[in-house]
């Protein structure tokens, strides 16, 4: 327990830099554990404890009243928790030897020293502004604070803005797209990578890209920002690296964030290879008197074991709590992250947890397998079932769950949350297959999509459903058989496939060769599985193309199959 009593005062003095997700959580939790400490929060912005995650919806006027973004005010902290809050007060230096901060009152310019016994850093991450011509022009915005959002709202209203370019197709970029469309702007996205939503595998991002196109969002993928020009009429033109010119009344820069490590670096705290402050499992930095939490730190990815930065609100809040417990002398520790996240875009929900396939390959993990499935979000017979496109990654042969991604209109995040929880308990696909989940027709199915994902993966592991790799289609020597009905086959099929419907397979299977692999597909994978089981038990060499034609079209859209 860090029971140091202040050399400066009789009470232990805990100073917190940054009073939003991580900092505010830490301060409030610490007060619940320790009535005796003096706790002070500094934030250079005008507010503490505001809802950063709500900012895009304030721009979109879905949250119309700015006050709704204020989760807790300085007065709440003072009255409820006896925590002093100094807003518009920037911490400019840490003197570790003297255990003192230099702070500047941004209203008056006054500079003063603040002694500490314990220091908690939660300064967050700053939006990246690339050093390119025009990024500082009026009308070019990043979204981090309430004043940022207020400025964007005012710009849209005052200029009667009609067109916007969002640079960056990640979480924040896409949330801004949704909200600008809600404000009836015509929106284009410029994204350097060849897909939107970079954390997803490309074929899982493809349905989202198609959805955006259907909603009128123009996407310029695989093309970066070169510069922004101002026109004579004060409107802007975004010029891409490939020379595409995109006119805009406003531009949103959402190309990622960078941990705000300036203070920590200047004070000589250890910074990790990913650019965040290095902390231990109790969020303590390389200085025993300084803790750090939130977007500014590096954390361990529990699936790859690698250090990473993960700028999300959930981890920041939990880390704040862990730091408070550690400061109060409790033996809590932070478990690491697995990147569970969700975003809603114009009626579509995209969620993921754990590692992606490309992340596993980057980390050098080879012994894994994947299944695709496209079940309805509830029982098909109950009106309104919507497909969920789900990809599950698991290790072979032990079946440990490595990650999952899902896209759909309903029930998406619920499935990913279940799988995320299973990952936290080191669960396997067998646990998913056996999970007892809620079911009534309007909510799920007797075999929930989570159960189905686990069962499919079990079928792979126990050899009941040998998989074929869609991406090997071009090189294959196998016979490709589509077991859907002729009308479905005629409506669209994988080039080179022959059609032998499941309904005719029992009487016509002798038409198939036994000395050659048979790769089987259908609409979403279910009939192909039945066909695989039938053929395997009749001496054929079947393999299943996971996810059927639905997966093929997503892979095709992502240009992952010819
Ligand atoms: P912050 O919450 O950013 O707080 C840092 C504070 O420190 C800031 O107020 C800053 O002014 C202050 N500060 C920095 N330096 C100093 C200094 N030297 N002196 C004084 N004060 C300082 N996450 C999700 O999980 N889901 C979402 O839907 C989601 N949506 C988001 C939408 C937007 C537009 C943004 C910007 C973020 C979103 N996030 C979301 C991310 C989430 O908000 C962050 O991960 C989280 O707020 C990080 O908490 P933090 O305490 O590390 O930093």
């Amino acid at each position: 327990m860090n029971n140091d009593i202040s050399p400066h005062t009789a009470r232990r003095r805990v100073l917190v830099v940054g009073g939003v997700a991580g900092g505010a959580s830490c301060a409030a939790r610490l007060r619940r554990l320790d009535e005796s400490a003096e706790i002070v929060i500094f934030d250079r912005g005008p507010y503490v404890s505001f809802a950063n995650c709500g900012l895009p919806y304030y721009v979109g006027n879905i949250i119309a009243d700015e006050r709704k973004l204020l989760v807790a005010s300085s007065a709440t902290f003072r009255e409820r928790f006896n925590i002093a809050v100094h807003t518009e007060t920037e911490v400019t230096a840490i003197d570790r030897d003297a255990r003192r901060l230099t702070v500047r009152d941004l209203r008056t310019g006054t500079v003063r020293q603040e002694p500490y016994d314990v220091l908690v850093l939660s300064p967050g991450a700053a939006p990246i502004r690339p050093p390119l011509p025009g990024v500082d022009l009026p009308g070019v915005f990043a979204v981090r604070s309430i004043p940022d959002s207020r400025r964007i709202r005012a710009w849209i209203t005052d200029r009667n803005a009609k067109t916007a370019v969002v640079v960056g197709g990640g979480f924040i970029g896409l949330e801004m797209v949704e909200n600008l469309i809600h404000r009836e702007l015509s929106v284009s996205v410029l994204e350097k990578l060849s897909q939107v939503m970079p954390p997803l595998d490309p074929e899982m991002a493809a349905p989202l890209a198609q959805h955006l196109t259907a909603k009128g969002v123009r996407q310029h993928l695989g093309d970066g920002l070169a510069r922004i020009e101002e026109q004579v009429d004060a409107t802007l033109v975004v010029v891409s690296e490939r020379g595409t010119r995109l006119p805009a009344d406003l531009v949103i820069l959402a190309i990622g964030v960078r941990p705000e490590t300036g203070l920590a670096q200047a004070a000589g705290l250890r910074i990790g290879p990913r650019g965040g402050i290095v902390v231990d499992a109790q969020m303590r930095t390389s200085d025993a008197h300084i803790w750090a939490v939130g977007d500014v730190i590096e954390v361990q990815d529990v699936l790859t074991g690698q250090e990473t930065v993960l700028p999300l609100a959930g981890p920041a809040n939990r880390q704040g709590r862990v730091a408070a417990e550690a400061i109060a002398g409790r033996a809590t520790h932070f478990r690491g992250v697995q990147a569970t996240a969700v975003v809603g875009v114009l009626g579509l929900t995209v969620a993921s947890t754990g590692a992606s396939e490309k992340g596993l390959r980057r980390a050098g993990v080879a012994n894994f397998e994947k299944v695709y499935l496209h079940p309805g979000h509830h029982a098909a017979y109950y009106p309104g079932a919507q497909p969920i496109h789900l990809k599950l990654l698991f290790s072979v042969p032990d079946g440990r769950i490595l990650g999952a991604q899902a896209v759909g209109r309903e029930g998406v995040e619920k499935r990913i949350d279940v799988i995320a929880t299973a990952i936290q308990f080191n669960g396997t696909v067998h646990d998913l297959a056996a999970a007892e989940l809620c079911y009534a027709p309007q909510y799920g199915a007797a075999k929930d999509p989570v159960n189905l994902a686990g069962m499919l993966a079990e079928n792979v592991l126990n050899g009941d459903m040998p998989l074929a790799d869609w991406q090997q289609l071009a090189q294959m020597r196998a016979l490709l058989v589509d077991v859907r009905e002729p009308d479905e086959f005629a409506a669209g099929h994988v080039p080179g496939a022959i059609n032998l419907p499941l309904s005719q397979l029992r009487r016509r299977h002798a038409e198939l060769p036994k000395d050659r692999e048979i790769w089987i597909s259908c609409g979403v994978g279910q009939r192909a599985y039945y066909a695989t089981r039938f053929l395997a038990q009749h001496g054929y060499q079947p393999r299943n193309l996971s996810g059927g034609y639905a997966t093929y079209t997503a892979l095709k859209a992502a240009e992952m199959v010819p």
Side-chain angles (χ1 to χ4, degrees):
M1 176 168 174
N2 191 327
N3 263 335
D4 298 357
I5 295 298
S6 173
H8 314 281
T9 65
R11 300 163 73 197
R12 190 154 71 128
R13 202 159 195 257
V14 181
L15 303 188
V16 181
V17 183
V20 192
S25 301
C26 181
R29 176 68 180 156
L30 183 59
R31 174 55 79 226
R32 293 195 290 277
L33 301 177
D34 183 354
E35 265 298 312
S36 69
E38 181 187 357
I39 306 173
V40 184
I41 296 176
F42 300 97
D43 202 295
R44 67 177 169 218
Y47 308 104
V48 282
S49 202
F50 67 90
N52 337 43
C53 308
L55 297 176
Y57 306 92
Y58 178 47
V59 171
N61 217 22
I62 290 167
I63 299 170
D65 181 355
E66 190 180 290
R67 287 169 302 182
K68 299 273 186 213
L69 295 170
L70 303 174
V71 180
S73 65
S74 300
T76 315
F77 276 98
R78 189 178 58 247
E79 288 154 15
R80 200 174 282 178
F81 302 118
N82 185 25
I83 292 172
V85 174
H86 300 279
T87 52
E88 295 180 76
T89 305
E90 184 165 24
V91 177
T92 55
I94 306 167
D95 180 340
R96 286 169 53 198
D97 293 332
R99 278 193 249 157
R100 235 188 339 243
L101 297 182
T102 306
V103 305
R104 179 196 302 275
D105 184 324
L106 297 175
R107 282 160 297 210
T108 62
T110 322
V111 174
R112 64 181 192 274
Q113 306 290 312
E114 292 276 359
Y116 66 83
D117 303 298
V118 171
L119 176 63
V120 180
L121 299 176
S122 188
I128 294 172
R129 268 188 186 259
L132 294 171
V135 294
D136 294 322
L137 282 169
V140 181
F141 301 96
V143 201
R144 184 181 185 189
S145 64
I146 291 179
D148 290 339
S149 317
R150 204 184 284 151
R151 281 190 285 273
I152 300 170
R153 279 171 67 103
W155 188 273
I156 293 171
T157 311
D158 298 349
R159 312 268 166 145
N160 194 18
K162 297 278 180 239
T163 55
V165 173
V166 175
V167 185
F171 286 96
I172 294 178
L174 292 181
E175 287 181 351
M176 289 306 296
V177 167
E178 166 167 289
N179 283 286
L180 292 169
I181 297 246
H182 199 248
R183 296 291 300 264
E184 299 182 343
L185 275 82
S186 161
V187 184
S188 302
V189 177
L190 181 65
E191 166 59 57
K192 176 112 178 148
L193 296 180
S194 54
Q195 65 172 90
V196 288
M197 278 304 291
L200 293 187
D201 288 321
E203 77 281 18
M204 298 305 291
L208 173 59
Q210 285 164 343
H211 179 74
L212 287 168
T213 303
K215 294 285 181 185
V217 179
R218 286 169 299 281
Q219 295 154 77
H220 303 268
L221 305 179
D223 196 4
L225 174 67
R227 63 182 183 279
I228 303 169
E229 296 172 357
E230 190 172 30
Q231 305 296 96
V232 280
D233 62 354
T235 62
L236 302 166
V237 173
V238 172
V239 184
S240 79
E241 286 170 351
R242 285 199 211 139
T244 306
R245 296 178 66 81
L246 305 168
D249 295 320
L250 78 148
V251 176
I252 305 289
L253 287 180
I255 56 173
V257 296
R258 189 172 288 135
E260 282 224 34
T261 50
L263 267 181
Q265 252 171 318
L269 294 179
R270 206 172 138 219
I271 306 294
R274 303 300 307 273
I277 300 176
V278 173
V279 293
D280 65 14
Q282 293 204 312
M283 321 315 303
R284 204 190 286 242
T285 68
S286 51
D287 180 319
H289 296 278
I290 306 180
W291 275 256
V293 299
D295 290 359
V296 78
I297 63 166
E298 284 191 5
V299 278
Q300 195 184 43
D301 183 320
V302 292
L303 288 145
T304 63
Q306 296 183 338
E307 296 308 312
T308 185
V309 285
L310 186 71
L312 288 177
N317 275 271
R318 293 197 305 281
Q319 290 154 8
R321 186 178 168 92
V322 168
E325 306 232 334
I327 292 164
R330 295 194 176 184
T332 323
H333 71 277
F334 185 67
R335 294 184 188 185
V337 297
Q338 60 187 68
T340 306
V342 62
V343 65
V345 192
L346 301 164
L348 205 68
T349 303
V350 179
S352 57
T353 186
S356 61
E357 183 176 349
K358 61 187 176 186
L360 288 172
R361 293 196 193 285
R362 257 198 316 268
V365 180
N367 57 334
F368 69 89
E369 202 35 284
K370 63 190 172 196
V371 287
Y372 297 96
L373 60 161
H374 311 272
H377 86 286
H378 63 47
Y381 64 81
Y382 187 86
Q386 301 282 348
I388 298 177
H389 306 288
L390 184 55
K391 176 178 184 178
L392 179 70
L393 294 144
F394 52 97
S395 78
V396 177
D398 62 3
R400 182 173 167 233
I401 309 158
L402 298 175
Q405 301 163 44
V407 186
R409 288 176 182 274
E410 301 280 345
V412 170
E413 72 290 355
K414 153 171 147 171
R415 273 59 190 220
I416 291 297
D417 276 343
V418 171
I419 298 173
T421 308
I423 289 176
Q424 280 162 42
F425 293 125
N426 241 328
T428 66
V429 298
H430 309 294
D431 297 315
L432 298 185
E436 184 173 315
L437 303 170
C438 294
Y439 166 57
Q442 68 270 49
Y443 297 111
K447 279 184 196 148
D448 189 86
V450 170
N451 298 133
L452 285 176
M455 289 169 184
L456 279 184
E458 278 188 327
N459 288 339
V460 173
L461 288 176
N462 65 23
D464 283 349
M465 192 176 77
L467 287 181
D469 187 346
W470 280 107
Q471 284 169 278
Q472 300 288 315
L473 266 180
Q475 298 98 295
M476 73 167 196
R477 284 200 55 262
L479 178 67
L480 181 56
V481 178
D482 187 323
V483 295
R484 292 176 299 163
E485 294 303 309
D487 56 334
E488 296 172 274
F489 184 76
H493 58 265
V494 181
I498 63 161
N499 186 214
L500 204 176
L502 179 68
S503 56
Q504 301 172 22
L505 189 63
R506 283 179 188 276
R507 62 184 155 81
R508 288 182 51 198
H509 66 87
E511 294 171 25
L512 298 173
K514 284 198 167 164
D515 58 353
R516 192 176 165 195
E517 275 192 6
I518 304 171
W519 287 15
I520 305 175
S521 84
C522 62
V524 293
Q526 194 174 8
R527 282 173 287 178
Y529 168 55
Y530 299 153
T532 302
R533 291 304 306 142
F534 171 82
L535 290 173
Q537 293 178 73
H538 285 79
Y540 295 89
Q541 302 173 50
R543 285 190 175 274
N544 197 283
L545 282 157
S546 185
Y549 194 61
T551 296
Y552 172 79
T553 49
L555 289 161
K556 180 95 182 140
E559 299 177 358
M560 293 168 73
V561 290

